[in-house]
Amino acid sequence: MLQKLYDWVDERVDITPMWRDLADHEVPEHVNPAHHFSAFIYCFGGLTFFITVIQILSGMFLTMYYVPDIVNAYESVKYLQNEVAYGQIVRGMHHWGASVVIVMMFLHTLRVFFTGSYKKPRELNWVVGVMIFGVMLGLGFTGYLLPWDMKAYFATAVGIEIASSVPLIGGMIETFLAGGDVLGAQTLARFFAIHVFFLPAALLALMGIHFILIRRQGISGPL
Ligand code: HEM
């Protein structure tokens, strides 16, 4: 049945070469931990990607209950956490995953740095990586405010304060982030929009470029 369906589609759109290209791609020996245990350092990029997928999926489910306004945000998170079936586990995955993904990304960056993989011809992908790094930190910063409890509020107040100390444009950054003169309704609304629309869209685009470049250039090494 499934085979028939596959053949039907394949006859019309020729899908076999698409997945064959990925499935038949051989992983070089020097990045395969089954050959050299120390090659596990090459897994951090893939692990970062894996946690990122978990973040996107769990985040999509969180938006089913989360209400992004200052009257309801805290209660909606509390309801999700205590009443909704599996709500606690989905929120827990997103909460802890947010830290794990930063750690994995950092380890991946260290691997790329210490194997010298940022050198020619991979300079561009390093630059793309630095952009991804910034987007990930932005996701962490904007997501932290969303539960709208004391910790979220005052941590964000400190964060915006730090950003406002940038020479010359600090005031502009502060107004942009807070959405006005005070940390309030406008801030929560734009942090939500940035957290669930702007930065994830940027992240998907950048990760796409990151992976296309890796496939075109091949993995670096062996040392
Ligand atoms: C969401 C974050 C990221 C994901 C999912 C990701 C994923 C990956 C993957 C799967 C690889 C293949 C090799 C490996 O796994 O080590 C890779 C390679 C690479 N990454 Fe990332 N990466 C991320 C962030 C970064 C950052 C922050 C940097 C640097 C600032 C970076 C720079 C590079 C470079 C230069 C390569 C090519 C390395 C080589 O050919 O040896 N990446 N990335």
Side-chain angles (χ1 to χ4, degrees):
M1 171 65 192
L2 267 183
Q3 186 64 42
K4 267 194 169 163
L5 181 65
Y6 180 88
D7 293 340
W8 190 90
V9 177
D10 197 38
E11 200 185 336
R12 285 155 184 82
V13 249
D14 197 22
I15 55 174
T16 303
M18 291 196 255
W19 67 263
R20 276 261 161 235
D21 181 47
L22 281 176
D24 295 344
H25 186 76
E26 288 197 20
V27 177
E29 221 174 272
H30 74 282
V31 303
N32 186 345
H35 286 272
H36 316 275
F37 176 70
S38 57
F40 74 88
I41 56 170
Y42 287 89
C43 294
F44 291 132
L47 288 173
T48 311
F49 179 65
F50 177 65
I51 312 282
T52 303
V53 171
I54 291 183
Q55 290 308 97
I56 292 171
L57 291 178
S58 57
M60 280 161 66
F61 282 102
L62 292 182
T63 61
M64 289 182 154
Y65 289 91
Y66 180 73
V67 183
D69 76 61
I70 57 173
V71 179
N72 299 300
Y74 179 74
E75 287 299 325
S76 74
V77 173
K78 212 165 120 186
Y79 178 76
L80 170 85
Q81 175 86 17
N82 299 325
E83 311 292 337
V84 177
Y86 304 107
Q88 196 175 21
I89 207 160
V90 173
R91 179 169 180 233
M93 286 167 79
H94 203 74
H95 176 96
W96 294 106
S99 296
V100 175
V101 81
I102 301 281
V103 172
M104 288 300 157
M105 182 177 67
F106 189 64
L107 292 174
H108 170 58
T109 309
L110 287 180
R111 191 289 285 173
V112 172
F113 181 77
F114 283 111
T115 53
S117 308
Y118 53 85
K119 293 179 191 170
K120 191 182 173 189
R122 298 186 178 77
E123 307 95 317
L124 259 183
N125 217 10
W126 175 264
V127 172
V128 172
V130 171
M131 290 178 180
I132 295 181
F133 208 107
V135 168
M136 288 295 232
L137 294 186
L139 280 164
F141 182 59
T142 50
Y144 205 85
L145 179 67
L146 301 184
W148 201 249
D149 53 12
M150 288 289 161
K151 196 170 67 159
Y153 186 93
F154 287 103
T156 303
V158 172
I160 294 181
E161 188 83 16
I162 292 170
S164 75
S165 66
V166 172
L168 300 176
I169 55 167
M172 272 163 66
I173 299 177
E174 184 179 11
T175 312
F176 169 76
L177 286 176
D181 296 334
V182 290
L183 206 178
Q186 301 289 0
T187 322
L188 184 62
R190 66 180 49 201
F191 269 48
F192 178 73
I194 293 172
H195 188 75
V196 306
F197 294 117
F198 289 82
L199 292 181
L203 182 65
L204 288 180
L206 288 169
M207 284 199 314
I209 299 172
H210 203 59
F211 297 152
I212 288 170
L213 286 176
I214 293 164
R215 278 310 293 273
R216 282 188 76 88
Q217 303 183 315
I219 198 78
S220 64
L223 291 175

